[in-house]
């Protein structure tokens, strides 16, 4: 619903009244709407309703007449001619309606060109719709006319709403966050505001205020409104009005100082399209302003028409020197041209006459008794399908609206305007037309797409779009009152700016120091008259929305419900809600602690490798080393003993095989690393203090129904309830000392087992009691502390950028050191609690891989050599046809000593030498050392051997065995003689 419904109703009533008075004079006999001249041309009546007493009306009528003259002169074969019937609306809504009614009822025109203004056109559209007479305007641009939805209304002009995209692109390009529209309080001014507001909000620009100027406002009224704007922070103004009232606003703004540095003025095409007719005084008051202007392509036809039109216009009105031709004159030209072409198109088939309409005979008024044009529907269809190249550009009507998608961006500088770029619907802001893609894939919103700009005050620096009001008002910064955690915010009374201290305050002041401009402020406590807190933190944030504070500073957390009515800056603290619990010494003191250094899989792997290495050494040493021979149980025990004794490097058996020596070297290296790691881990378990959290899981608290704590007034209460805690389990604290006492009491004695609070509070608590408590998982999502400002405040992006500079620099660390002092002896908060995780197989699998590969290769090499030596036994089937027996024979050979080994040869040579050197004695048995111990090849196993059967099948006797085993030295005959 339009805001001027009451004035519109008055207009309708007034028009109706005048129509009733004039109606008897309009009921004359019907006139023919067409006529045929002597040359056979069909004359079609067309009405023109303009303000004939204004230069604008004269401009429009002149362009219409020239358009028809040029058209018929260049197309003498046209069978139709438009017969113009002009009426003066006298700059009045009633006059325009009466003129249109006269043309329809009395002159019976087939179409009406005009009227000029949107308010005049609003009522005339209804008349044309009833009589099916097209109403074609070239100057009524208000978007509200489109809502009438009449198929008989055509606008050969740019809809005012089509330029709001260009205005939004300019605002976005320079990053302005607020803008105030200034417009006239009529249908023309109000029609664009909804579209303009939507366009600004789409680029994240807020409209905090709308400045409405009465149509007949005095200079004092304009000055009062502008002074009101000066008291606000916003310095970006969008001016939407015609040139005459706009010039008065600029003149007053210049007089009171609103055209100086820091201000931004953006004009719609209601002003810019007429700048060509503005005098030097008006242009001087607009210096630095930006504007959106309708773009008209420069063509040779336009240049020729402009020259001829000026000559014709000065001939008609010699008092005007060098008259400017505005875009409205071009639209009037194209409107008349299009209407004439449409009439010619249907002239051969349509009867340009009227017929009686359907109306009630007992109507109390004759307003319902319109006769209806028979050519109306066909003329509407012809106009809608018309396409041609006009002076203003492409002529194409979609739903009765001329399509306009290109605007010029101008900057008023010096004695006139200067074009700095274009805006197109497809490509946004561009420096030159044709520099973007026609398919719209590249849409530019950067100010680099525009040329250099001279801003108000002859400044070349882009205004930031806001500033502290000139009336000297300081920003009112609200601060909360709280009893505990004064390190963040502390307010003392009697109150002053100096009595507000704390971490949050120091951060806020450091942020203001980084800003490129001064920001005067004063702290205001959120307190009752007696100095107590005036409410919760939600209430505190709401005071910003209510306008009691310009900003809120303190330990205020970003929350979704608060962000509905305030804008937060970036957080200046860590985010999250953490759980803090006591820590305890979990030093292991049970009897099986020696098993904890290694995991079970590492124990199993080590044991398997001990057995495997023992087996490998036995295989490699069995044939050549007496230490690894003997009864089976002896050999098994020796192998295990040897392998496990390497763990403490206590093995005494000799290893004579090179392959076995290589395996043992690698295995000893593995054992050395294992034992050293085991020793270190066990030492840590038995000696180092094992600090572990008393509670590691929220579910443990819920299962045991332990009490938990949270800070007074904290939103953490909602999180705890969502987790499943009951109100009976809650304990509230206000200071770190109260929290510590709750932990000391314990959950069973009215205390708590864990506390939940935001990370900054928890870190402050740990700074005092870090040796007794710790933070554990989980950490719940929260957005940290931030500063709150009103919705859409332009300060928010600047403050946020300043916060980033402070938090990334040394200043933040200095502030934290001042307010968060730690205990003298305190573990590193970034270091996890000491733990003694057992050593696992994943840490040693590489060593086991090396030892396993080495042992396996040694076995393969030994087996290859042994089988090669016994190849004759395996392949000789003559002596033993059974393969199984041959394999058994090979294994028996493996169980024998390898007499070829140097170890046995050395032993035999040493024993012989010992016998030869012994003294002769024939009367006493020889010493054991005098025996020469040999092993016959017929003995299969055992140190002393077991006699094998004789080839003839007889077993040797004990005496034969003794003779074969023992050989006594023969006495020397000379010694016997001497003895």
């Amino acid at each position: 619903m339009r805001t001027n419904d009451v004035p519109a109703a008055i207009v309708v009533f007034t028009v109706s009244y005048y129509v009733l008075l004039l109606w008897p004079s309009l009921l004359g006999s019907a006139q023919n709407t067409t006529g045929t001249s002597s040359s056979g041309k069909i004359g079609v009546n067309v009405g023109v309703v303009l303000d004939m007493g204004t230069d604008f009306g004269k401009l429009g009528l002149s362009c219409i007449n020239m358009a028809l003259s040029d058209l018929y002169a260049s197309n003498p074969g046209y069978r139709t001619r438009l017969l113009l019937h002009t009426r003066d609306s006298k700059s009045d809504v009633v006059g325009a309606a009466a003129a249109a009614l006269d043309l329809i009822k009395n002159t019976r025109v087939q179409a009406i060109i005009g009227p000029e203004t949107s308010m005049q056109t609003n009522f005339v559209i209804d008349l044309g719709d009833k009589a099916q007479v097209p109403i074609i305007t070239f100057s009524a641009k208000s978007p509200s006319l489109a809502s009438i939805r009449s198929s008989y209304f055509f606008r050969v002009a740019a809809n005012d709403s089509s330029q709001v995209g260009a205005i939004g692109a300019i605002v976005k390009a320079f990053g302005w966050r607020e803008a105030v529209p200034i417009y006239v309080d009529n249908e023309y001014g109000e029609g664009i505001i909804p579209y303009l507001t939507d366009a600004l909000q789409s680029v994240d620009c807020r409209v905090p205020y709308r400045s409405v100027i009465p149509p007949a406002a005095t200079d004092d009224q304009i000055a009062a409104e502008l002074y009101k704007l000066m008291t606000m922070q916003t310095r970006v103004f969008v001016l939407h009005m015609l040139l005459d009232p706009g010039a008065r606003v600029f003149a007053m703004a210049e007089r009171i100082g609103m055209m100086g540095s820091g201000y931004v003025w953006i004009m719609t095409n209601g002003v810019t399209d007429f700048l060509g007719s503005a005098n030097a005084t008006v242009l001087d008051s607009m210096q630095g302003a930006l504007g959106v202007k309708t773009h008209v392509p420069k063509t040779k036809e336009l240049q020729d028409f402009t020259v001829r039109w000026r000559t014709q216009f000065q001939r008609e009105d010699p008092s005007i020197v060098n008259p400017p031709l505005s875009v409205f004159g071009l639209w009037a030209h194209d409107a008349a041209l299009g209407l004439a072409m449409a009439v010619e198109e249907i002239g051969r088939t349509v009867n340009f006459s009227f017929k009686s309409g359907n109306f009630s005979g007992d109507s109390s008024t004759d307003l319902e008794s319109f006769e209806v044009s028979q050519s109306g529907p066909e003329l509407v269809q012809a106009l809608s399908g018309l396409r041609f190249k006009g002076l203003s550009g492409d002529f194409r009507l979609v739903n009765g609206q001329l399509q306009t998608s290109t605007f010029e961006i101008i900057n008023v500088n010096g004695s006139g305007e200067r074009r700095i770029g274009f805006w197109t619907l497809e490509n946004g802001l561009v420096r030159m037309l044709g520099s973007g893609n026609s398919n719209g894939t590249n849409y530019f919103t950067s100010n680099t797409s525009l040329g250099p700009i001279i801003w108000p005050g002859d400044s070349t620096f882009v205004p930031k779009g806001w500033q502290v009001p000139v009336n000297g008002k300081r920003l009112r910064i609200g601060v909360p009152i709280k009893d505990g955690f004064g390190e963040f915010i502390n307010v003392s009374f009697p109150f002053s700016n100096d009595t507000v201290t704390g971490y949050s305050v120091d951060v806020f002041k450091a942020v203001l120091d980084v800003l490129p401009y001064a920001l005067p402020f004063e702290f205001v406590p959120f307190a009752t008259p007696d100095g107590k807190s005036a409410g919760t933190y939600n209430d505190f944030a709401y005071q910003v929305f209510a306008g009691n504070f310009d900003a809120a500073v303190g330990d205020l957390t970003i929350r979704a419900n608060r962000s509905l009515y305030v804008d937060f800056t970036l957080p200046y603290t860590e985010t999250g809600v953490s759980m803090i619990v006591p820590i305890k010494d979990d030093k292991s003191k049970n009897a099986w602690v020696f098993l904890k250094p290694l995991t079970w899989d590492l124990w199993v792997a080590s044991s398997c490798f001990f057995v495997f290495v023992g087996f490998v050494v036995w295989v490699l040493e069995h044939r050549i080393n007496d230490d690894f021979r003997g009864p089976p149980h002896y050999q098994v025990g020796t192998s295990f003993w040897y392998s496990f004794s390497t763990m403490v490097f206590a093995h005494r058996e000799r290893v004579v095989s090179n392959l076995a020596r290589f395996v043992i070297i690698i295995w000893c290296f593995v054992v050395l690393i294992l034992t050293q790691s085991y020793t270190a881990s066990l030492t840590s378990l038995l000696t180092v203090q094992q600090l572990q959290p008393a509670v590691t899981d929220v579910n443990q608290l819920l299962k045991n129904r332990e009490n938990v704590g949270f800070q007074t007034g904290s939103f953490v209460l909602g999180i705890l309830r969502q987790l499943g805690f009951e109100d009976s389990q809650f304990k509230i604290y206000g200071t770190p000392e109260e929290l510590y006492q709750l932990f000391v009491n314990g959950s069973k004695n009215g205390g708590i087992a864990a506390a939940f609070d935001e990370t900054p509070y928890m870190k402050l608590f740990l700074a005092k009691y870090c040796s007794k408590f710790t933070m554990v998982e989980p950490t719940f999502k929260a957005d940290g502390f931030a500063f709150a400002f009103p919705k859409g405040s332009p300060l928010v992006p600047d403050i946020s950028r300043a916060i980033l500079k402070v938090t990334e620099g040394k200043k933040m660390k200095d502030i934290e050191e001042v307010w968060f002092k730690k205990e003298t002896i305190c573990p590193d908060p970034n270091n996890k609690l000491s733990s003694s995780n057992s050593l696992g197989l994943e840490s040693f699998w590489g060593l086991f891989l090396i030892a396993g590969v080495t042992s396996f290769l040694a076995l393969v090499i030994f087996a290859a050599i042994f089988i090669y030596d016994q190849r004759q036994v395996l392949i000789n089937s003559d002596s033993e046809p059974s393969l199984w027996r041959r394999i058994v024979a090979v294994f028996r050979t493996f169980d024998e000593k390898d007499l070829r080994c140097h170890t046995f040869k050395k032993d035999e040579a040493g024993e012989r030498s010992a016998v030869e050197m012994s003294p002769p004695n024939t009367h006493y048995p020889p010493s054991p050392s005098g025996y020469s111990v040999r092993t016959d090849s017929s003995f299969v196993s055992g140190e002393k051997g077991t006699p094998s059967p004789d080839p003839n099948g007889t077993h040797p006797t004990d005496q034969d065995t003794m003779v074969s085993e023992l050989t006594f030295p023969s006495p020397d005959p000379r010694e016997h003689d001497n003895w």
Side-chain angles (χ1 to χ4, degrees):
M1 181 175 180
R2 297 188 302 274
T3 58
N4 61 336
D5 283 344
V6 175
I10 296 175
V11 169
V12 172
F13 175 79
T14 306
V15 171
S16 302
Y17 175 75
Y18 275 96
V19 169
L20 289 175
L21 292 178
L22 295 173
W23 194 255
S25 64
L26 299 177
L27 294 178
S29 59
Q31 299 181 5
N32 292 331
T33 63
T34 63
T36 304
S37 64
S38 58
S39 59
K41 306 296 182 182
I42 301 175
V44 180
N45 293 328
V46 173
V48 179
V49 179
L50 296 173
D51 297 335
M52 297 305 179
T54 64
D55 293 341
F56 186 86
K58 297 176 182 179
L59 165 70
L61 183 59
S62 175
C63 290
I64 291 172
N65 287 326
M66 287 191 65
L68 297 179
S69 299
D70 293 344
L71 176 66
Y72 295 137
S74 60
N75 296 279
Y78 273 20
R79 297 183 68 253
T80 59
R81 293 291 186 271
L82 297 187
L83 304 178
L84 299 182
H85 301 267
T86 60
R87 297 290 186 272
D88 186 4
S89 65
K90 300 179 181 180
S91 301
D92 183 66
V93 175
V94 177
L101 188 60
D102 174 52
L103 290 170
I104 294 173
K105 295 290 295 184
N106 195 25
T107 310
R108 294 189 176 185
V109 295
Q110 299 297 316
I112 294 177
I113 299 177
E116 288 183 15
T117 67
S118 298
M119 293 184 65
Q120 295 172 358
T121 307
N122 196 4
F123 185 77
V124 174
I125 292 174
D126 291 333
L127 296 178
D129 195 53
K130 288 181 179 294
Q132 295 186 1
V133 174
I135 307 299
I136 306 172
T137 182
F138 60 87
S139 56
K141 304 192 300 174
S142 174
S144 62
L145 298 178
S147 63
I148 299 177
R149 301 183 184 278
S150 171
S151 59
Y152 289 89
F153 173 60
F154 293 90
R155 177 159 45 195
V156 187
N159 190 328
D160 275 340
S161 63
S162 62
Q163 62 184 319
V164 299
I167 297 173
I170 295 173
V171 171
K172 183 178 181 180
F174 293 100
W176 298 317
R177 300 297 301 277
E178 286 187 352
V180 173
I182 305 175
Y183 59 96
V184 179
D185 189 13
N186 58 21
E187 188 162 354
Y188 169 76
E190 294 173 345
I192 195 177
I193 297 305
Y195 302 91
L196 179 61
T197 303
D198 291 343
L200 293 175
Q201 291 179 346
S202 67
V203 295
D204 201 20
C205 179
R206 193 171 69 97
V207 179
Y209 179 73
R210 300 177 182 181
S211 179
V212 183
I213 305 295
T218 64
D219 288 347
D220 290 340
Q221 289 177 309
I222 295 175
E225 185 64 25
L226 293 180
Y227 275 121
K228 184 186 298 182
L229 297 178
M230 291 182 67
T231 63
M232 303 178 183
Q233 291 184 356
T234 306
R235 290 296 179 262
V236 180
F237 306 109
V238 180
L239 185 73
H240 176 64
M241 53 185 65
L242 297 177
L243 179 60
D244 289 342
R248 294 179 60 199
V249 171
F250 275 112
M252 187 58 65
E254 183 186 28
R255 184 182 307 172
I256 67 177
M258 293 183 66
M259 293 301 296
S261 179
Y263 285 87
V264 178
W265 290 84
I266 303 175
M267 303 175 291
T268 64
N269 57 10
V271 176
T272 57
D273 286 343
F274 293 99
L275 283 181
S277 61
N279 57 41
T281 303
V282 173
L283 292 175
D284 287 342
S285 66
M286 297 179 177
Q287 293 297 304
L290 299 179
V292 177
K293 183 178 181 178
T294 306
H295 172 65
V296 178
K298 304 299 181 183
T299 60
K300 186 177 184 300
E301 292 78 7
L302 177 59
Q303 294 177 354
D304 294 341
F305 178 82
T306 302
V307 173
R308 291 188 296 109
W309 175 83
R310 284 177 177 169
T311 302
Q312 178 68 24
F313 195 79
Q314 285 184 315
R315 186 182 301 118
E316 296 174 356
D317 192 349
S319 61
I320 301 178
V321 180
N322 194 21
L325 178 60
S326 69
V327 69
F328 292 94
L330 304 181
W331 284 331
H333 173 279
D334 292 347
L337 193 63
L339 178 60
M341 296 172 67
V343 168
E344 175 66 21
E345 180 181 340
I346 65 174
R348 298 178 183 272
T349 58
V350 173
N351 181 17
F352 293 101
S353 62
F354 279 72
K355 65 179 180 179
S356 298
N358 296 324
F359 61 93
S360 175
D362 58 351
S363 174
S364 60
T365 69
D366 289 330
L367 286 175
E368 302 292 334
S369 61
F370 275 119
E371 290 185 341
V372 178
S373 172
Q374 297 186 52
S375 63
E378 288 79 6
L379 186 55
V380 167
Q381 185 175 0
L383 284 170
S384 300
L386 198 59
R387 302 286 188 275
F388 66 91
K389 194 78 171 180
L391 294 181
S392 63
D394 293 332
F395 186 94
R396 182 169 64 95
L397 299 175
V398 178
N399 295 326
Q401 172 64 54
L402 182 68
Q403 299 305 295
T404 305
S405 60
T406 303
F407 291 91
E408 298 178 8
I409 311 300
I410 66 165
N411 179 214
V412 179
N413 185 245
S415 59
E417 63 187 67
R418 181 171 54 88
R419 189 173 63 200
I420 59 175
F422 296 88
W423 178 86
T424 65
L425 187 62
E426 297 81 10
N427 302 114
L429 297 176
V430 293
R431 185 69 180 89
M432 298 296 296
L433 288 179
S435 58
N437 295 334
S438 60
N439 57 10
T441 55
N442 293 332
Y443 189 88
F444 303 98
T445 57
S446 171
N447 56 29
T448 58
S449 301
L450 301 175
I453 300 174
I454 304 298
W455 300 97
D458 292 331
S459 173
T460 58
F461 296 99
V462 177
K464 62 179 179 290
W466 71 273
Q467 67 182 34
V468 179
V470 297
N471 58 4
K473 177 185 174 183
R474 293 173 174 266
L475 292 179
R476 291 169 54 85
I477 308 298
V479 290
I481 305 297
K482 60 186 305 181
D483 296 329
F485 294 94
E487 289 82 357
F488 287 98
I489 187 77
N490 184 38
V491 179
S492 303
F493 291 91
F495 184 83
S496 69
N497 274 8
D498 296 333
T499 61
V500 182
T501 58
Y503 173 76
S504 299
V505 175
D506 284 357
V507 172
F508 179 71
K509 292 180 178 179
V511 167
L512 296 188
D513 292 339
V514 175
L515 290 177
Y517 46 83
L519 195 66
F521 69 92
E522 61 180 359
F523 288 124
V524 180
F526 180 56
T528 58
D530 59 352
K532 302 296 183 181
S533 177
T536 65
Y537 271 58
N538 287 337
D539 300 331
F540 175 52
Y542 189 80
Q543 299 305 308
V544 178
F545 174 77
N548 297 327
F549 300 141
D550 296 317
V553 171
D555 48 348
L556 183 63
T557 305
I558 301 174
R559 301 296 295 170
N561 62 319
R562 298 170 185 170
S563 66
L564 297 176
Y565 44 86
V566 296
D567 277 349
F568 286 101
T569 63
L570 290 178
Y572 59 88
T573 63
E574 295 184 55
T575 63
V577 174
S578 302
M579 179 174 70
I580 190 170
V581 297
I583 55 179
K584 62 180 181 179
D585 184 8
D586 193 33
K587 187 187 298 184
S588 300
K589 299 180 176 64
N590 59 73
W592 303 99
V593 67
F594 66 90
L595 295 176
K596 292 188 66 176
L598 305 182
T599 58
W600 68 269
D601 55 345
L602 184 55
W603 278 115
V604 172
S606 300
S607 301
C608 292
F609 262 85
F610 274 114
V611 175
F612 176 65
V613 170
F615 169 75
V616 170
V617 173
W618 174 80
V619 170
L620 299 177
E621 293 290 315
H622 177 66
R623 301 191 71 230
I624 61 176
N625 193 339
D626 288 335
D627 291 337
F628 291 89
R629 300 186 63 84
H633 64 275
Y634 175 81
Q635 296 182 49
V636 172
T638 301
S639 299
F640 284 173
W641 155 255
Y642 183 84
S643 178
F644 282 96
S645 64
T646 58
M647 186 166 53
V648 292
F649 305 100
H651 46 287
R652 295 176 298 175
E653 290 75 12
R654 292 184 308 154
V655 177
V656 297
S657 170
N658 288 332
L659 290 176
R661 290 171 178 174
F662 183 67
V663 170
I664 291 301
I665 290 174
I666 299 299
W667 178 242
C668 286
F669 175 72
V670 174
V671 169
L672 175 64
I673 295 177
L674 276 175
T675 54
Q676 295 296 326
S677 301
Y678 174 85
T679 303
S681 181
L682 182 61
T683 302
S684 175
L685 284 171
L686 297 177
T687 59
V688 177
Q689 187 181 29
Q690 305 297 314
L691 300 179
Q692 297 291 342
V695 179
T696 58
D697 189 8
V698 175
N699 294 324
Q700 183 180 349
L701 296 171
L702 292 170
K703 180 179 179 180
N704 299 333
R705 299 187 59 81
E706 301 281 3
N707 293 340
V708 294
F710 62 91
Q711 191 177 169
T712 304
S714 175
F715 65 89
V716 175
L717 174 61
I719 296 178
L720 295 178
R721 284 174 174 169
Q722 291 178 0
L723 291 175
F725 288 98
E726 299 178 359
D727 291 351
S728 59
Q729 296 176 258
F730 296 147
K731 301 295 179 180
I732 301 176
Y733 60 87
T735 64
E737 291 74 18
E738 293 179 5
L739 175 58
Y740 176 76
Q741 190 59 46
L742 288 174
F743 274 122
V744 171
N745 294 339
S747 180
K748 296 182 180 180
N749 298 321
I752 59 175
F756 293 83
D757 213 334
E758 295 175 77
T759 302
Y761 295 121
M762 295 291 92
K763 287 203 168 186
L764 176 61
F765 179 77
L766 290 179
K768 296 182 178 180
Y769 306 104
C770 60
S771 61
K772 299 179 180 180
F773 304 94
T774 186
M775 280 192 297
V776 297
E777 298 292 340
T779 299
F780 302 96
K781 183 63 177 176
D783 293 321
F785 297 162
F787 307 129
F789 287 85
K791 273 286 187 180
S793 172
L795 279 173
V796 172
D798 289 346
I799 296 293
S800 296
R801 282 189 288 268
I803 288 175
L804 290 177
K805 292 180 180 179
V806 172
T807 55
E808 292 173 357
K810 183 176 180 295
K811 184 65 176 178
M812 181 62 80
K813 184 178 180 181
D814 294 339
I815 296 175
E816 290 178 351
E817 289 179 353
V818 171
W819 293 104
F820 304 145
K821 294 180 180 179
K822 298 180 180 180
E823 291 181 357
T824 305
I825 301 176
C826 195
D828 184 1
N830 297 321
N831 194 15
K832 298 295 182 181
L833 291 177
S834 176
S835 62
S836 57
N837 294 328
S838 301
L839 300 174
L841 181 61
E842 63 275 2
S843 301
F844 299 94
W845 70 268
L847 291 173
F848 287 121
L849 178 64
I850 295 173
V853 170
T854 302
S855 301
F856 180 75
L857 288 177
L859 281 177
V860 170
I861 295 172
F862 173 81
I865 295 173
F866 179 74
I867 293 174
Y868 180 78
D869 291 342
Q870 302 299 320
R871 65 186 182 279
Q872 294 298 329
V873 178
L874 291 173
I875 66 178
N876 188 5
S877 59
D878 297 335
S879 60
E880 182 58 62
S882 174
L883 178 61
W884 172 250
R885 291 187 177 182
R886 279 180 278 168
I887 294 175
V888 171
V890 171
F891 275 100
R892 288 177 177 174
T893 303
F894 169 76
D895 198 37
E896 297 174 357
K897 286 186 177 182
D898 187 1
L899 298 179
R900 297 172 302 170
C901 179
H902 67 282
T903 55
F904 294 125
K905 293 179 179 180
K906 182 178 178 181
D907 291 342
E908 184 177 354
E911 291 172 358
R912 288 179 179 177
S913 175
V915 171
E916 292 176 355
M917 294 176 60
S918 60
N921 188 353
T922 59
H923 300 282
Y924 302 97
S927 170
S929 60
Y931 295 101
S932 174
V933 181
R934 293 181 300 174
T935 304
D936 192 275
S937 60
S938 62
F939 290 92
V940 178
S941 61
E943 287 294 327
K944 295 182 179 181
T946 303
S948 60
D950 182 74
N952 297 324
T954 60
H955 293 276
T957 61
D958 292 342
Q959 183 179 1
D960 296 334
T961 301
M962 184 63 68
V963 172
S964 63
E965 289 182 351
L966 303 179
T967 302
F968 295 96
S970 301
D972 191 336
R974 292 171 297 177
E975 293 179 357
H976 177 71
D977 294 340
N978 294 333
W979 179 78

